[in-house]
Amino acid sequence: MKIVLVCGARPNFMKIAPLLRAINKHNASSKVNPIEPILVHTGQHYDYEMSQVFFQDLELPKPDVYLGVGSGTHAEQTARVMIEFEKVLLKEKPDLVVVVGDVNSTLAGALTAVKLHIPLAHVEAGLRSYDRTMPEEINRLLTDQISDYLFTPSRDADENLKREGIPQEKIFFVGNVMVDSLLFNKARADQSQILTQLKLAGEGYALLTLHRPSNVDEKHSLTNIMSAITNISEWIPVVFPAHPRTQKNLREFNLDPHATVIASPAEAKAWQSQSNMLITPPLSYLDFLKLEMYAKFVMTDSGGIQEETTVLNVPCLTLRDTTERPMTITRGTNMLVGNRPRKIIEEASKILASKSQSPPHVELWDGITAERIIGILARIE
Ligand code: UD1
């Protein structure tokens, strides 16, 4: 059985790594129905910090095919992936295509496969924010509609899919592949020297990430958020690994004068004597995971980080008005605070005054989701 796996952007890599490991395990333990994986990297993310460093940290093999599509408008990026990916599918004639998550490469890979009548599996199916202004929501909705195998991370995702008319026999509640990566790599992340490099003590800092267009592309929104963060940094140092588009906008809107900005962790020296906010380039998977593990709390607009903080039992303030991961809220680790300064500051101060809670239990977020998925795919006739 030949399976093409598609990845393209930073949040895809930690979802693909456990799937490849599970395929290797399947091939080693079972002589029937061996799986031949072909890894395709679209090149949506191409900077060393956004892509290659994740291949190293996650011990991913070099992609079999690199499409090199790069950045562009949504239409340009999606179309370029489709044009290049179609050539790969026509040459390889796989039995199945697997896409993960909700980035433009996910939808482009999915559309290309179904138009060639190749069966399609979507890992992380069924998540819905119900905010159609988010590009990821459109990518999720459309990918799920055309997938043959929908692997969901939580029961709320199953319910969303059923409401949209997806037949039950296509839906498989398997758990969360990103949690597979987290649990597999936690001990290695603990070896990271990032806290020492950035002169930080456990629970002695807050961690911030921001990259959603709605937060960082508009001067007004980014100014609001940064004013809240500047306030919070008077109580606790804030470390801010910034996505390339966020770095660009912080400079353009002149919003980084209260921060120490460094080009690499090695430059951190005595940053806390100059300011209480540190802006770094995007960090590697293991360094970032270590920062998450030891943060007093996390502020983010990412989807995956809401889930990682739930597993790590670290309080998270999500700088959005909606989430496609409601379970992180019901489990008590995550809270939606939008981009209103007063709310962000108020909730941060409550966390600083609170004691830690006992870790939540989440059904099937147990580190072996990828094995469940490959077990199901290996039985396809
Ligand atoms: C993409 C995903 C988003 C995911 C995020 C994680 C979509 C619609 N969005 O958003 O869901 O949470 O990745 O990072 O697929 N850039 C670089 N270097 C890179 C890649 C991008 O400098 O390696 C800059 C470019 O200026 C580019 C911009 O970032 O135009 C946006 O990149 P793009 O891949 O289009 O979207 P992200 O914001 O990264």
Side-chain angles (χ1 to χ4, degrees):
M1 183 187 202
K2 199 190 250 193
I3 298 186
V4 165
L5 299 109
V6 182
C7 62
R10 182 170 61 177
N12 290 161
F13 307 132
M14 55 291 262
K15 296 169 191 166
I16 287 287
L19 292 170
L20 287 173
R21 244 189 339 269
I23 290 174
N24 288 339
K25 196 167 167 188
H26 165 82
N27 288 343
S29 66
S30 156
K31 295 283 165 272
V32 286
N33 220 351
I35 295 174
E36 181 196 342
I38 299 174
L39 181 60
V40 175
H41 186 327
T42 66
Q44 176 175 347
H45 284 173
Y46 43 83
D47 283 352
Y48 173 80
E49 294 99 346
M50 298 297 283
S51 173
Q52 205 182 322
V53 71
F54 285 78
F55 275 71
Q56 289 161 14
D57 274 9
L58 295 160
E59 297 174 324
L60 273 162
K62 202 166 160 279
D64 299 294
V65 186
Y66 186 76
L67 305 180
V69 301
S71 297
T73 65
H74 286 268
E76 285 167 348
Q77 197 172 54
T78 311
R80 278 205 292 267
V81 174
M82 290 183 71
I83 292 167
E84 296 308 316
F85 189 48
E86 186 177 52
K87 295 175 195 162
V88 177
L89 294 183
L90 288 170
K91 176 164 172 266
E92 296 292 346
K93 300 190 175 29
D95 301 295
L96 180 82
V97 167
V98 176
V99 295
V100 299
D102 56 14
V103 301
N104 286 345
S105 299
T106 309
L107 174 62
L111 271 174
T112 314
V114 295
K115 294 267 179 167
L116 293 173
H117 307 291
I118 300 168
L120 176 68
H122 183 207
V123 173
E124 203 186 79
L127 299 185
R128 296 289 180 270
S129 67
Y130 294 99
D131 173 2
R132 290 199 179 187
T133 63
M134 283 180 78
E136 294 81 4
E137 183 75 355
I138 304 299
N139 295 341
R140 292 180 202 116
L141 271 163
L142 299 184
T143 302
D144 285 343
Q145 277 299 322
I146 55 177
S147 291
D148 302 288
Y149 303 91
L150 295 98
F151 294 107
T152 63
S154 49
R155 293 203 185 269
D156 56 281
D158 290 39
E159 294 309 313
N160 293 336
L161 293 173
K162 281 185 231 161
R163 267 199 302 277
E164 288 166 19
I166 309 275
Q168 174 68 55
E169 59 269 23
K170 289 186 176 183
I171 305 172
F172 303 87
F173 168 46
V174 288
N176 190 323
V177 272
M178 207 190 52
V179 174
D180 287 8
S181 270
L182 188 157
L183 297 177
F184 186 80
N185 289 296
K186 213 173 148 196
R188 290 175 63 225
D190 216 9
Q191 304 297 312
S192 152
Q193 293 304 306
I194 193 73
L195 292 193
T196 319
Q197 278 181 309
L198 301 185
K199 321 270 179 255
L200 297 167
E203 298 205 9
Y205 61 93
L207 180 62
L208 168 70
T209 81
L210 278 179
H211 73 280
R212 294 268 158 230
S214 57
N215 278 336
V216 304
D217 288 355
E218 305 241 336
K219 187 174 181 184
H220 178 69
S221 308
L222 193 55
T223 306
N224 270 346
I225 294 174
M226 292 310 287
S227 85
I229 303 301
T230 305
N231 268 277
I232 292 168
S233 73
E234 284 166 19
W235 301 325
I236 185 166
V238 177
V239 180
F240 181 10
H243 184 285
R245 77 186 302 148
T246 313
Q247 294 213 21
K248 184 173 139 269
N249 290 342
L250 286 169
R251 274 194 305 274
E252 206 167 295
F253 306 148
N254 195 26
L255 287 173
D256 54 11
H258 299 296
T260 303
V261 185
I262 56 172
S264 83
E267 284 180 17
K269 292 190 192 75
W271 66 275
Q272 283 167 35
S273 61
Q274 296 159 33
S275 65
N276 227 13
M277 193 194 315
L278 179 68
I279 300 178
T280 77
L283 295 173
S284 73
Y285 180 73
L286 295 174
D287 284 348
F288 188 80
L289 184 52
K290 175 133 187 188
L291 280 175
E292 265 183 287
M293 285 158 64
Y294 289 94
K296 176 73 184 165
F297 65 101
V298 174
M299 294 170 283
T300 190
D301 59 9
S302 148
I305 292 172
Q306 297 172 53
E307 297 180 334
E308 288 174 344
T309 47
T310 295
V311 177
L312 296 169
N313 196 27
V314 173
C316 178
L317 298 179
T318 294
L319 307 176
R320 289 171 46 190
D321 293 316
T322 58
T323 180
E324 59 290 331
R325 285 142 164 117
M327 224 240 323
T328 59
I329 310 242
T330 53
R331 292 303 182 281
T333 53
N334 186 22
M335 174 179 273
L336 297 177
V337 292
N339 56 22
R340 296 169 299 281
R342 191 185 297 169
K343 179 76 176 159
I344 301 171
I345 294 168
E346 192 181 298
E347 294 306 330
S349 76
K350 282 189 202 158
I351 293 174
L352 285 170
S354 69
K355 290 210 178 64
S356 63
Q357 316 231 332
S358 51
H361 168 75
V362 188
E363 192 180 2
L364 295 191
W365 289 19
D366 55 3
I368 52 169
T369 290
E371 290 176 33
R372 281 190 280 272
I373 293 172
I374 298 306
I376 292 164
L377 294 179
R379 288 198 295 275
I380 297 175
E381 293 296 314

